[in-house]
Each structure stands twice: as structure tokens, then as C-alpha cells.
Amino acid sequence: MWNGNTVAVVLPTYNEKHSIAGVIRRFESLGIVDRILVVNNNAAPGTSAEVAATRADEVFETRQGYGAAIRRGIAEVDADLVCLCEPDGTFNPEDLVKLLPFTAECDFVVGSRTVSNFIWDGANMGWFLQWGNWAVAKLIEILFNTSYLSDVGCTFRVVSRQCLKQISPNFTVDGSAFGLEMLLAAVIHKIKLVQVPVNYHRRVGESSVTGDPKKTIQLGLEMIRMVIRTRMRVRKLRLLAPAGAARKPG
């Protein structure tokens, strides 16, 4: 628990057989995580055996895509604070203790991989990805007049259960752009959010998206279209909030 709040970690997995057990154990060693849930998204053979050697729970989601896996994980856990992370070795599980203190004032705490001091040698965060994330983040700031952002693709974040209940009706994306859709849902519902720098390392194995420059460009264009489309539909999307859900100023 963290300050009286239960904490759950959701780890979607597709191609992280060689890193997932180590990531789980590092979250376990923090002593503040109540539950770790692995969402097996048609993962590589042998992944389940790696998870079974830990104390994590495992569920299976056959709809392919990062968004499908995360949405399943969110539906399965019932904690006050839900941490979303990747089990590919790119993030330090220990950075969770940097994100959690901000939950006292913000319902959405998102990591940032674009601060140079926290980018380790070999990490897949070259100038193109850094500036691409920065550009889309600034587009969001301008169009939505929101708080400071520099990274729209960071998948290490902590979200309150109250926030998830409010923004989940906006979720539609099953693929890699889901992280941005979640961020935009928080922005349009005026959830108090903050961005915190996190460490970013070389991935164990190859990414199915950022390892391919063509897919990276396609994802970037998809994100820009999503931001503009969301801005045009913002009033309609706000109406999707559950009845009686309180919107926090921000």
C-alpha cells in the first residue's frame, strides 16, 4: 500500500519473455505493490512459465494490441492506484516511488522519457523520437490549454481508480496509440495531471513498433490525427463521463 491506498501494477506482454520475470520481481521488492497483473497478449511461448515463477497473476487477452491488453488489465484490477508499465526492461520499476507522491494532488501521473539526463546509453530515444514526442505534446498544450507535457508516448504512469472510472468510457483504441488516447481523455475531462521524468533504458529484445522506423512514423501520424480529431469532438467526448462523476478543476 501507499499512504493507505492499494497499489496494482498492470504489465501487458507480447515479446518480453526474457525480461518479464525480472521486472516483476523488482516491483515486488518495493514492498508497496499489492498486486501485479500480467496481461498475456498472445505472448511469446514460454512467457507464462516465466510469470508462474513469480507472485504475479496472469490473464489472457486475445485481441491483439497494447490498448486491448491495458484495457483488459484495468478491468481486472480493483486498486486505489493503478500503475501501468512495460515489462521489457526499458523502465526502472523503482521509479514508481517517484510517481506515487504526486498522487496526493493529481489523479494522473505520467512519466517522461525525453529528459536527456534520464536517457541511458542504447535507449531507443534518439532525436527523432524525442522531438516527435515533444511536438505532439506541444500540440496538445496549445489545442487544450493543458499543463506542461513533453512526452506523449511514455507508458509508465499511475492513475487513480476514480480517474479511470471517469475516462474509461472514452477508450476505443486497441493498438499502440492507446496511451495517447488515455492521456487525451484525462485532458478533456480536466483531470489534474502531472509529468515526471523517469529513467529510460535499452529494451531487452526488439519492439514490434519503435524498432521499425516506418511503423514509428505511421504511429506518429496517427497520434497527430487523434489529437486534432479529439479537439474537434471535445464537447461530445466530455458527455461520455459516467453520470455524477465529479470533474476536478485543472
Side-chain angles (χ1 to χ4, degrees):
M1 297 188 77
W2 174 266
N3 287 349
N5 294 305
T6 53
V7 179
V9 174
V10 174
L11 301 171
T13 183
Y14 175 69
N15 190 29
E16 293 83 20
K17 172 186 173 182
H18 299 294
S19 58
I20 191 166
V23 171
I24 292 171
R25 291 190 179 101
R26 287 170 69 182
F27 273 114
E28 289 176 341
S29 69
L30 297 178
I32 55 175
V33 177
D34 298 279
R35 185 186 184 193
I36 300 174
L37 179 68
V38 173
V39 182
N40 186 318
N41 193 212
N42 305 305
T47 301
S48 292
E50 293 293 319
V51 176
T54 71
R55 296 198 299 270
D57 299 320
E58 183 179 26
V59 297
F60 294 83
E61 177 52 64
T62 57
R63 287 181 303 152
Q64 190 59 51
Y66 172 77
I70 291 296
R71 291 165 67 186
R72 173 65 185 276
I74 289 172
E76 293 282 343
V77 297
D78 186 21
D80 299 317
L81 299 170
V82 180
C83 169
L84 309 178
C85 192
E86 300 275 7
D88 57 7
T90 53
F91 295 113
N92 285 353
E94 295 78 13
D95 278 347
L96 177 58
V97 300
K98 293 200 304 187
L99 305 182
L100 284 172
F102 290 90
T103 60
E105 297 180 346
C106 298
D107 285 315
F108 197 111
V109 184
V110 61
S112 169
R113 308 159 298 164
T114 57
V115 178
S116 297
N117 291 342
F118 294 91
I119 301 174
W120 290 67
D121 290 344
N124 187 26
M125 187 50 66
W127 69 267
F128 180 78
L129 283 175
Q130 278 185 279
W131 284 100
N133 274 283
W134 182 88
V136 178
K138 296 309 160 186
L139 180 63
I140 294 174
E141 284 188 31
I142 293 170
L143 293 182
F144 296 92
N145 190 30
T146 188
S147 57
Y148 173 82
L149 294 170
S150 67
D151 185 0
V152 297
C154 186
T155 50
F156 195 1
R157 51 188 63 181
V158 178
V159 191
S160 74
R161 171 53 54 183
Q162 177 184 353
C163 173
L164 287 172
K165 287 181 179 179
Q166 185 170 348
I167 66 178
S168 60
N170 292 119
F171 297 164
T172 62
V173 173
D174 284 343
S176 300
F178 173 77
L180 175 60
E181 182 181 54
M182 174 185 277
L183 178 64
L184 288 171
V187 168
I188 65 176
H189 288 296
K190 299 190 179 300
I191 302 295
K192 292 183 81 171
L193 64 89
V194 66
Q195 181 180 272
V196 180
V198 294
N199 289 281
Y200 197 57
H201 298 266
R202 179 196 296 269
R203 176 192 163 94
V204 177
E206 185 175 342
S207 169
S208 60
V209 178
T210 55
D212 184 333
K214 184 178 179 180
K215 289 184 178 180
T216 300
I217 293 172
Q218 290 175 340
L219 178 59
L221 293 174
E222 180 185 352
M223 286 182 168
I224 292 172
R225 288 193 294 267
M226 179 183 290
V227 171
I228 296 173
R229 185 169 62 247
T230 301
R231 185 64 188 89
M232 295 174 64
R233 301 175 57 222
V234 64
R235 290 190 178 182
K236 180 178 179 180
L237 292 172
R238 280 176 177 164
L239 294 176
L240 294 177
R247 294 180 189 149
K248 293 188 176 183

